[in-house]
Amino acid sequence: MKILVTGGAGFIGSHLVDKLIERGNEVVIIDDLSSGKEKNINPKAIVYEIDICSEHVQDIFAREEPEAVFHLAAQTSVEKSLNNPAHDTKVNISGTVNLLKNSQKHKVGQFIFVSSAAVYGEPSDFPVKESFFLKPISPYGLSKKVAEEYVTFFGNNYSLPYTILRYGNVYGPRQDPTGEAGVIAIFISKMLQDEQVIIYGGGEQIRDFIYVDDVVKASILALDKGRNGVFNIASGIKVSINDLYEILRMKLSVDAFPVYDERRKGDIDKMLLDVSRAKEMLGWSAKVGLEEGLDKTIEYFRKV
């Protein structure tokens, strides 16, 4: 099967590409390398360095004729979405529509859209089910919500089979430690370099961390099962930022303590996802525990 992966040079996308190629699939990557890295690209993949909003995306669909699409390319920074919501809208909404139009035109068999827990905003009940009301608190979360609605619209009106995966807080090797997202990568990188770690807010924020290999497995199961619908993909286990820091501090034998700063605008306070639907319909559950996942991530950052 020939599969198109947008964002295939990125953190999660590159792991997905590796696994798809390992399975014997032919993989085509679309990535403008604005955040993805050339060193992440699997040499067996066909690569197009192009913006997902470009009209030339249609040429790639016509030439490559993919049978399935994994859409991971996105503007993922909450801070950037607050400062420039127009750009966020262009990439995350218009870019998604561009891919949907071409997928429908070229009769793609399955469109798998990677969304985010950010679409839920600040839920009042936990764990959060897929059926909960969506009330995002940042332009990033809003753009993912609207993109989801377009995916559903194309699925219902143009018979484009689709799956929407709402990832929790994904971490692991290749994650960028220089941005605002990816708190685990940021903490590990700074601790290894004896730099001061900053925690925004009181540190009691709750996160649902999930190792990258587990989300890749869930994504491939979504392809294999061919189930239309929305699925939370996370560990279903809550961890506070303070607890995370303490675990990493012990693992890395760091004596220093973090500095606390004001909570950043658009940051979600608590997130814990209900993953029972993915277990029931996809036969998926997270296999890599936090301790094991952190050890693997630390090993990677020690090397790089």
Side-chain angles (χ1 to χ4, degrees):
M1 178 185 289
K2 181 179 282 192
I3 301 171
L4 173 65
V5 179
T6 71
F11 160 45
I12 302 172
S14 64
H15 284 280
L16 175 61
V17 169
D18 288 348
K19 184 57 68 174
L20 289 170
I21 288 175
E22 183 183 311
R23 280 168 36 113
N25 298 116
E26 187 176 356
V27 177
V28 178
I29 293 173
I30 290 180
D31 199 308
D32 66 1
L33 298 182
S34 59
S35 58
K37 297 177 175 62
E38 283 190 52
K39 66 180 182 180
N40 291 342
I41 297 174
N42 191 302
K44 294 182 180 179
I46 301 167
V47 184
Y48 292 91
E49 187 178 341
I50 188 173
D51 190 322
I52 58 171
C53 298
S54 171
E55 63 179 17
H56 295 297
V57 165
Q58 64 182 342
D59 301 328
I60 298 171
F61 272 82
R63 183 181 303 117
E64 301 295 346
E65 298 182 331
E67 298 164 73
V69 171
F70 281 95
H71 178 28
L72 289 86
Q75 192 300 109
T76 60
S77 167
V78 170
E79 183 179 6
K80 288 180 179 178
S81 77
L82 288 162
N83 294 333
N84 191 354
H87 176 68
D88 201 71
T89 299
K90 177 186 175 186
V91 176
N92 293 354
I93 300 176
S94 297
T96 300
V97 172
N98 192 28
L99 292 161
L100 286 166
K101 285 167 52 183
N102 281 288
S103 295
Q104 179 261 325
K105 179 180 178 181
H106 293 277
K107 295 179 172 53
V108 165
Q110 181 80 351
F111 189 96
I112 299 172
F113 177 62
V114 172
S115 188
S116 165
V119 298
Y120 293 114
E122 294 281 13
S124 56
D125 296 315
F126 298 93
V128 179
K129 295 180 181 292
E130 292 88 347
S131 57
F132 278 24
F133 184 69
L134 306 184
K135 194 176 181 180
I137 61 171
S138 68
Y140 165 67
L142 179 58
S143 69
K144 282 292 191 180
K145 174 179 179 289
V146 174
E148 282 192 12
E149 291 173 352
Y150 270 108
V151 172
T152 304
F153 177 84
F154 271 77
N156 293 338
N157 290 276
Y158 298 113
S159 300
L160 176 62
Y162 72 92
T163 306
I164 296 170
L165 303 175
R166 293 175 182 158
Y167 288 171
N169 292 85
V170 187
Y171 72 98
R174 300 181 192 165
Q175 190 165 32
D176 185 0
T178 62
E180 68 175 69
V183 63
I184 289 177
I186 294 169
F187 281 9
I188 292 174
S189 179
K190 287 190 175 296
M191 286 180 180
L192 288 174
Q193 298 177 79
D194 294 322
E195 295 180 4
Q196 184 69 63
V197 171
I198 300 172
I199 293 179
Y200 296 95
E204 291 307 309
Q205 303 97 309
I206 298 299
R207 295 292 180 264
D208 191 338
F209 294 109
I210 179 77
Y211 190 65
V212 64
D213 286 359
D214 279 327
V215 300
V216 166
K217 289 175 183 175
S219 302
I220 291 175
L221 277 170
L223 174 68
D224 292 343
K225 299 283 186 177
R227 297 289 182 90
N228 278 17
V230 183
F231 300 92
N232 289 333
I233 304 298
S235 67
I237 299 172
K238 63 180 180 180
V239 180
S240 76
I241 300 301
N242 283 334
D243 286 344
L244 171 67
Y245 182 89
E246 186 60 24
I247 293 169
L248 289 172
R249 192 176 74 83
M250 297 298 291
K251 285 183 178 293
L252 294 168
S253 301
V254 172
D255 293 328
F257 290 92
V259 169
Y260 290 87
D261 203 344
E262 292 183 5
R263 181 179 169 183
R264 294 177 299 192
K265 193 174 182 180
D267 276 0
I268 294 170
D269 185 46
K270 295 179 181 179
M271 186 53 63
L272 179 65
L273 298 176
D274 186 315
V275 294
S276 57
R277 192 164 190 265
K279 289 179 180 178
E280 179 184 348
M281 298 186 69
L282 298 179
W284 174 88
S285 61
K287 301 299 183 185
V288 181
L290 184 63
E291 294 279 349
E292 180 187 354
L294 290 177
D295 288 340
K296 290 181 176 182
T297 308
I298 289 169
E299 181 183 0
Y300 168 81
F301 277 101
R302 284 192 190 279
K303 292 177 180 177
V304 300

